[in-house]
Amino acid sequence: MRHGWMGLLLAMVFLGKALAADYRVDTVAAGLVHPWALAFLPDGRMLVTERPGRLRVIEPGADGRLALRSAPVPGLPAVMAVGQAGLFDLLLHPRFADNGLLYLSFAHGTPQANHLRVVRARFDGAQLHEVTPVFTSQPAKKATQHFGGRLAWLPDGTLVLGMGDGNLERTDAQRLHTHLGKLLRIDADGRVPGDNPFIGTAGALPEIYSRGHRNPQGLVVVDGVLYAHEHGSRGGDELNRIAPGANYGWPLTTGGIDYTHARITPYRALPGITPPLLEWTPSVAPAGLAWYDGALFPQWRGSLFVATLKERSVRRVPLRGGVPGAQEVLFQELGERLRDVRAGPDGALYLLSDSAEGRVLRVRPK
């Protein structure tokens, strides 16, 4: 039955583009080096991370138009920026307007021994202060691939982060003594919540929230439910509804094959494995993930938006009662790898293009 409804959903994918008259795309900021994540400040400014290890401010210039501040924000910790490693996500504390706290995820260490690290810092509008690590993945891993790095707040105020499998020993995604290939949950100060699902399991790291993930690249909470997407190998990209303690299969089950065209596993489903809501084969390489319920685009309300790198698009996935509907492929006319997508407080949609000359783009009605 799983293959039946999966096939039906895939058959429903609409591979057209929105009419050009539906929207216009403007450049908010240019000249960014592989921008990775975007956050909106309460005063109308924006913060954007660059993978080489810089935090940048976008703010109104003398003419009132948004512009990129020339100097990066001082105070960032050292970032390992090589290969896929670097500065990743940025997330404001739910009470940022009062406390100025934000969270950053990044690669920490050396190519021979590295970690995914999350720090909390206070931003005063000019620089970072009181930079404090709240999570460092264990154990150290080799190489510079599959870090994950996305962050999201759950409704109870706990922080969830995605950790990739490291792309060396993929079966670590199933093993509970390592953070690799997991979604992880901590309190805002880095402590471990007492109700995490594997607390009390012998040999399990207490931060683990779910397992069986290859390289999570998007996290978003909708009506209290956590959704995540992740890269497959050659095919098998997934969108999942996350439940605490669940196993999402990698590498025991997958719809993809290895980059060598070898089979990874003969199984698409197994008992005890939670199947994906959606699978993308061939791969689209999903990156950022956003929920849109704004006023500027009524026809897009109630949809997940998935930025993609390989497909160079954003996929709109309507969600009704937790069930994905027919997908719409947007913004391929830009011809750019898209690393992140965010729904702005102004109702516009914002995109980050992934290149050495990356841009922040704003999508508004035409």
Side-chain angles (χ1 to χ4, degrees), residues 144-231:
T144 60
Q145 296 177 302
H146 294 197
F147 283 88
R150 290 292 180 189
L151 306 170
W153 294 110
L154 291 180
D156 63 1
T158 57
L159 180 65
V160 173
L161 56 141
M163 176 74 205
D165 68 353
N167 201 33
L168 286 179
E169 183 52 74
R170 57 178 57 141
T171 53
D172 278 345
Q174 291 293 322
R175 297 175 177 140
L176 295 177
H177 72 279
T178 170
H179 290 132
L180 291 171
K182 312 297 192 303
L183 294 187
L184 308 159
R185 176 175 174 249
I186 60 175
D187 286 329
D189 61 3
R191 291 180 294 179
V192 177
D195 58 350
N196 267 1
F198 293 102
I199 286 181
T201 300
L205 294 179
E207 297 88 355
I208 297 173
Y209 193 65
S210 63
R211 59 175 158 168
H213 302 283
R214 183 173 181 269
N215 192 16
Q217 291 288 293
L219 293 172
V220 71
V221 175
V222 180
D223 296 329
V225 177
L226 179 63
Y227 293 87
H229 64 51
E230 62 188 76
H231 286 189

Side-chain angles (χ1 to χ4, degrees), residues 37-53:
L38 182 70
F40 304 95
L41 300 182
D43 61 6
R45 293 179 300 164
M46 305 175 204
L47 293 174
V48 59
T49 60
E50 292 178 290
R51 197 175 68 203

Side-chain angles (χ1 to χ4, degrees), residues 42-311:
D43 61 6
R45 293 179 300 164
M46 305 175 204
L47 293 174
V48 59
T49 60
E50 292 178 290
R51 197 175 68 203
R54 292 181 292 271
L55 179 63
R56 308 296 298 274
V57 178
I58 299 172
E59 59 192 352
D63 60 358
R65 299 176 62 182
L66 289 172
L68 185 66
R69 185 186 293 178
S70 59
V73 174
L76 263 73
V79 171
M80 186 188 79
V82 58
Q84 295 178 0
L87 180 60
F88 302 129
D89 211 359
L90 162 67
L91 187 66
L92 303 186
H93 190 280
R95 297 192 304 278
F96 176 86
D98 299 320
N99 60 29
L101 295 178
L102 55 78
Y103 293 73
L104 296 161
S105 64
F106 58 94
H108 166 75
T110 68
Q112 294 74 37
N114 57 76
H115 311 261
L116 176 68
R117 174 165 283 186
V118 178
V119 298
R120 181 182 64 191
R122 182 172 58 83
F123 179 57
D124 66 2
Q127 65 184 71
L128 297 181
H129 302 271
E130 303 161 22
V131 178
T132 305
V134 296
F135 174 80
T136 303
S137 65
Q138 299 297 331
K141 70 177 186 66
K142 296 180 180 179
T144 60
Q145 296 177 302
H146 294 197
F147 283 88
R150 290 292 180 189
L151 306 170
W153 294 110
L154 291 180
D156 63 1
T158 57
L159 180 65
V160 173
L161 56 141
M163 176 74 205
D165 68 353
N167 201 33
L168 286 179
E169 183 52 74
R170 57 178 57 141
T171 53
D172 278 345
Q174 291 293 322
R175 297 175 177 140
L176 295 177
H177 72 279
T178 170
H179 290 132
L180 291 171
K182 312 297 192 303
L183 294 187
L184 308 159
R185 176 175 174 249
I186 60 175
D187 286 329
D189 61 3
R191 291 180 294 179
V192 177
D195 58 350
N196 267 1
F198 293 102
I199 286 181
T201 300
L205 294 179
E207 297 88 355
I208 297 173
Y209 193 65
S210 63
R211 59 175 158 168
H213 302 283
R214 183 173 181 269
N215 192 16
Q217 291 288 293
L219 293 172
V220 71
V221 175
V222 180
D223 296 329
V225 177
L226 179 63
Y227 293 87
H229 64 51
E230 62 188 76
H231 286 189
S233 50
R234 188 183 291 271
D237 300 343
E238 294 181 358
L239 173 68
N240 290 294
R241 181 189 295 113
I242 303 301
N247 188 339
Y248 292 88
W250 177 257
L252 303 178
T253 62
T254 180
I257 58 174
D258 217 333
Y259 293 114
T260 64
H261 296 274
R263 178 181 286 187
I264 295 167
T265 172
Y267 301 109
R268 298 287 296 274
L270 284 172
I273 302 297
T274 301
L277 287 180
L278 280 177
E279 179 189 296
W280 293 287
T281 299
S283 290
V284 298
L289 179 63
W291 173 251
Y292 186 83
D293 206 28
L296 289 188
F297 293 100
Q299 71 274 27
W300 289 352
R301 297 189 69 183
S303 296
L304 294 170
F305 281 78
V306 180
T308 76
L309 299 168
K310 185 176 180 181
E311 190 176 67

